[in-house]
Amino acid sequence: MVHVYNCHPFASQQIVQVEQEPGLVCCGGGALFVVTTGGCKVEAFCLEKEGCPLICRFATMGTVRRIQYSTIGDYLVTIEEKNSATYLRVYTNWRYQAEEKARVGVRLLGHLLRGASVWGGVQMEIIEIPLSGHPVALACCSVKGDLLVACENTLVLFALRRQTQQNLPKENQQNLQSSWPNSEQSCSQSRGRTSCPNQDLSVLDFERSVILHLSKITPKQVALCGGYVAVQAELEVLVLKLEATTEPAAAEDPSDSSKSADYPEDQSDFLLVPKHQELLGDQAKDCDVPVNVEQTGLEDRRRYTLSYVLFRRFTPEFFQGCGVEEMQLHSLQLYPMFIGNQSASVDGPACMFCFFSLPTAGYLYSLRGGVELLSAYQYPEKVLQAVLTDHLLHVITKNALQSFTVRCAAVAARVEDPYIDTTMKACPPCSLEVCALRMQLFIGLRSVCAYGCHVILLSTADTEAPEETERHTQRRSLELKEHNMLTGIFLAVGIDPATTPALESLLSRPFLTRRWTTPSPKEPTSVGHGWNLYVVDTVPPLTLYQEMVEYSQRYAENNPQGLSLRHLLGEAHLLLRSSLLQSSEQRQNADGARKMAAQTQREELEEAFRQNCAQLGDCFSRGSQKDCHLALPYYRMSSLSVTEVISRNRPLPGSPHTYGPGFLFYLKHFLLEETDQILSQEDADEVARIFGQSEPSMLVSVCASPCMMNVDAAAALQILRCWEDTAGVSVPLTITMAAMMLRLGDLAQYTELMERHAEMLLVYGFIEEPRLLLHGGGGGKHAQVCPTALARQLADSQPGLLVAAMVALHENNKVQLEQADHVYKELGCENSLQVDFWEAMLMASSQDAVIQELLFRLGSVYIDRLTPGAASTKHKSLKSADDLISSCSHYGALYPWLTFLNPVQTSSYQHWEALHKLQSLLCGPSLPVGAVAPLLESLSEETLWGFSLHLLCATRRGHYGSSIEQLLDRCPQAIIAYANHQLQDKHMALWWQKLLPELCSRTRAAADNSILLGALKETLVVVAMQTSPAEFLELIPDDGTASFFLPHLLTCSQRHLLA
């Protein structure tokens, strides 16, 4: 379906003053090229100046049949005829003919002549390109400047080359340098060469790169852009992708070129109509059009690989309203589009589009990122030619110029911005139905081309030569005879065609006597009544956008929720997007005053873009449930505040309309997200009323939003109570009502509400709505959060509930560890409740990284609390050391020998708790000793409890020998308990290898030491149980008293005999 809007895309028109009747027309590079009738003279006019003044005029070497211009290289290429021979010629440096210089250099492809022909710009140069076949069509690449020439069954690609001064012969360089003074005044005229003599000389040339052989398709028109090659036959279009590679090409399958056509040899009496086909992407290789690649590049050894992109075949039965003769494709075009900071000279185009047309319909495909049909244009009457631009598709009929909207910007926007089609940004879909704008009437239009904002039209009077009239009369007579003959055949078999409309329609078509061929183009006749060459300027995109907005107001008044209004605003949106993409490219290429003007224009476009997004947001906010979610991204792109959005959606007094689903969707997302925007009391109260009426189930989330800090607590409480009466009691609702009571200062009612539910249920309520406790954190791990008033109250009155809730939020990925630390810092509890939170987290967490982080933090805190001069706190920990040992596996039971080292009384309860918790961590399995050992250096070993911590670290590290020595020095009464606990299993040998010798030595020195003597006896008992009599004898010191050791030796012998 094609929408029709009465918006005029054309601003003005002017007639180009051409002396002779134009035959062919093309444009580019700010110039309009006109080939006069007869085809032996080309005139160039300036499109950028008022009146289109003449730039230059030069003669061609033959009659021009086709002409193309390339912006890259600034050259013209023509197909010319002379003396029944066809030639392909390239005209470079043509702008120098404006200075009326008669010198023209002529050379063959790849041959650089001496003297003037290598001066690179002092004269126009004609490059003759020899071909083995007759060229029928040509195309220039707008990205690289390469040239594609189509012959009857081949396509030849010529790569544009710039021969620099270093590549020229030495004698040519000398001629060049001696000739520079005479050409300085004109060295900056051409875009395709170097602009001053001090730079390297650049001369345009071409290299024959690759030849494509087509066996089943006859090219009528070709297109080339960014490696894509498009071929158009009468009713077929084939798009290929050529890619250059340095890898050797695989052996080609000779069967492709030897496949014979499926058509009978004798087709003189039959019309074979192939079936309609559309093959996209990889499926296109299944078409019956084989293409063989012939590598011809000489300078670079690159190999070209071929892939099929698109194949489309049409059949005459597929269309209505046109005869078989008129069923032919035209206006093939490959159109690139760049985005963002892309440069045509460096980057390839981000998007590539292919357009072609039949007389009754046009087709626009997107080729990159998946081949898809974007738009199908149904024309109201027969179209002769069409041209695609950034903003519009211009088509001409016999007597009118009409423009259609295009969807290129929708594709480019999605390539440029990955956030489109999310809740952040939106854009009308690529499948949005196209629309036709107001047409401009002309007489006898024949061709159309476009450059920038200029549309060039060639019109001629509708004349018909006498022989053409006679030919038409003969054809009508033949068709009538054919119709009568077929009717008689059907009547003879008893079928009356008049009773069957489909059969009557079939007989009305001249299928039998006329072959399916394309009539050759008419030669210009000498009989004529006039001609004109128009340059029609399109209106600036911003002006056309404003006209669309004014036009849309009519729909808004009649049906503000209608699809037509949304469609027209979507068209305006895509128009602005396309203009913004174009302005980025213009701003990159501009400098000075032009850059400032481009910046100003872009600011105006951005402001219009925001207005359009606001209008689209209004449409979707009141629209159906299906598309209501689009209100959110459009309102976001409009940069409107939530207050402005509310005012735009507020129903009028007495209006039957309520708030639309899209507006509620926008409000919900706004309130659920963490933003710095805080609503005023009036707006917050209105939001509460809106959800109380439209969606009361969202009231808890609404009231918990930080944007609603200014809401009237009494009014919100009344709305919440009404919802509770309707839906019943729920934990999140109770907590929300308690928060409102707290804001009102009613602590009694607050306490009553909080005591409705058990503490664990309240924790579940905070998990369901974390913003009752915390605000912020929507930006991820490092986003700051802050506690609410309710959290501050819990810190004072119910710290255990706050800690349990914070642990639950962390375990449910509602808050990160760093964010929780910030919350306790804001609460002023970093040395009290924060440590309780870490201890509770250590019990609950199963993440190894979190556990190791918490162990280090807790170890550091306990050491700080034991450091002399540490500030004492009145806060009593929620969990004692015994509680942690019994409930947390990371806290180990204290080793028995620590009871000998721990003091009975310390300076404070906090000191005693910190010591026991730290000892418990060191006795546990999880704390890495190496992490806290450096921190323990701050604790002195002078006290027994300090010594116990260092001894624990040494023991955990396996330093048993030194630990035994230190323990015998500091607290020998603990040695047996230490040995019984630590010297087991693989360390059992230390009893007699280390402990026994140490005790013997120390006892010998202090024989009256009962502690050492008792320890020695206990040690001998263990040694006697673990060794043989012989080993025991070896362990007895030589100066030992026999009576002391003999009982232990006897015990060892008896045990050995029993064993």
Side-chain angles (χ1 to χ4, degrees), residues 116 630 652:
L630 293 174
L652 297 176

Side-chain angles (χ1 to χ4, degrees), residues 27-45:
C27 58
L32 168 63
F33 304 96
V34 181
V35 179
T36 58
T37 301
C40 293
K41 183 173 67 174
V42 177
E43 295 178 328
F45 299 89

Side-chain angles (χ1 to χ4, degrees), residues 820-837:
D821 292 339
H822 181 75
V823 169
Y824 287 109
K825 184 178 180 180
E826 289 286 321
L827 292 172
C829 306
E830 54 264 38
N831 291 324
S832 53
L833 278 183
Q834 184 179 20
V835 180
D836 294 330
F837 168 70

Side-chain angles (χ1 to χ4, degrees), residues 19 64 109 266 292 444 479 489 534 579 816 923 947 1021 1024:
E19 296 180 357
V64 178
L109 174 73
D266 186 8
N292 293 330
E479 291 174 357
I489 293 174
Y534 300 95
S579 303
Q816 301 294 327
C923 294
F947 169 69
V1021 172

Side-chain angles (χ1 to χ4, degrees), residues 38-40 60-66 78-89 91 128 134-136 521 523:
C40 293
T60 60
M61 300 178 67
T63 302
V64 178
R65 297 303 182 192
R66 297 287 181 93
T78 62
I79 296 177
E80 302 177 12
E81 285 186 6
K82 189 174 183 180
N83 299 329
S84 300
T86 308
Y87 303 91
L88 179 68
R89 296 188 174 103
Y91 294 79
E128 189 92 21
H134 296 287
V136 295
E523 295 290 337

Side-chain angles (χ1 to χ4, degrees), residues 871-902:
S872 60
T873 175
K874 296 181 181 180
H875 173 76
K876 185 177 180 180
S877 299
L878 297 176
K879 294 286 185 180
S880 66
D882 294 334
D883 295 334
L884 293 174
I885 292 172
S886 62
S887 60
C888 181
S889 61
H890 303 292
Y891 287 86
L894 297 183
Y895 297 158
W897 53 269
L898 287 174
T899 57
F900 296 92
L901 302 177
N902 285 339

